[in-house]
Amino acid sequence: MGMRKAVDQVVHEAELQLTDGTWELIVTDSNLARQTAAALDAAVGPIDAHQALPRIERLAALREALAALAVTVARTHGHLAWFLADASSHLAPVLHWRALDTRSDRTFGAALPTSGELADAEEAIRLLAAMLTRISQDA
């Protein structure tokens, strides 16, 4: 399963929890969601502009997005932390990607992502940012 589809399932679960009252938003969750959405949007910009970037810049942006998610998870507890931790776990393969070609097989297991894999991860980040924006408006 691709990253976008996996994150879509996590977003769907969050929407269900918000709708049925399992997850009741608090102001601090809303503020963190807004900040994190802004960081994700800044890291992985509009599709057309972002896909034109070199692979090394696209990968750096994805890693920046993962760092923003990690910081937010470290700063909160409860449903927001669980939601972002689950989404982050589906994005973890990004950490095993590399942008540089090498003449050696000694890359600590890092692999070159395809353009499709990069686009899938970027779309997953955009989907997550959109959900965080909705969350920040609901509280």
Side-chain angles (χ1 to χ4, degrees):
M1 174 179 355
M3 287 183 214
R4 191 213 180 280
K5 185 171 182 163
V7 169
D8 187 48
Q9 290 178 348
V10 176
V11 165
H12 179 69
E13 174 66 23
E15 289 169 338
L16 290 174
Q17 288 186 24
L18 289 164
T19 301
D20 72 13
T22 304
W23 180 0
E24 294 182 24
L25 289 170
I26 57 175
V27 174
T28 54
D29 282 354
S30 177
N31 292 337
L32 280 172
R34 185 179 308 102
Q35 293 168 4
T36 306
L40 297 180
D41 285 336
V44 181
I47 294 171
D48 295 341
H50 204 73
Q51 287 183 341
L53 295 174
R55 179 176 47 206
I56 195 165
E57 290 181 35
R58 291 175 75 184
L59 182 54
L62 286 167
R63 289 177 179 163
E64 185 177 323
L66 281 174
L69 291 171
V71 167
T72 301
V73 169
R75 294 174 57 200
T76 192
H77 302 282
H79 286 84
L80 182 61
W82 305 334
F83 166 60
L84 294 178
D86 191 18
S88 297
S89 69
H90 295 292
L91 295 163
V94 168
L95 299 174
H96 297 284
W97 290 349
R98 61 186 167 88
L100 303 174
D101 291 319
T102 181
R103 293 184 198 117
S104 170
D105 290 337
R106 294 181 173 189
T107 61
F108 298 97
L112 288 169
T114 66
S115 293
E117 289 171 324
L118 286 168
D120 183 50
E122 291 161 352
E123 189 56 33
I125 294 293
R126 288 185 192 97
L127 178 64
L128 193 52
M131 180 59 177
L132 289 167
T133 298
R134 286 194 304 276
I135 287 172
S136 71
Q137 296 169 346
D138 287 345

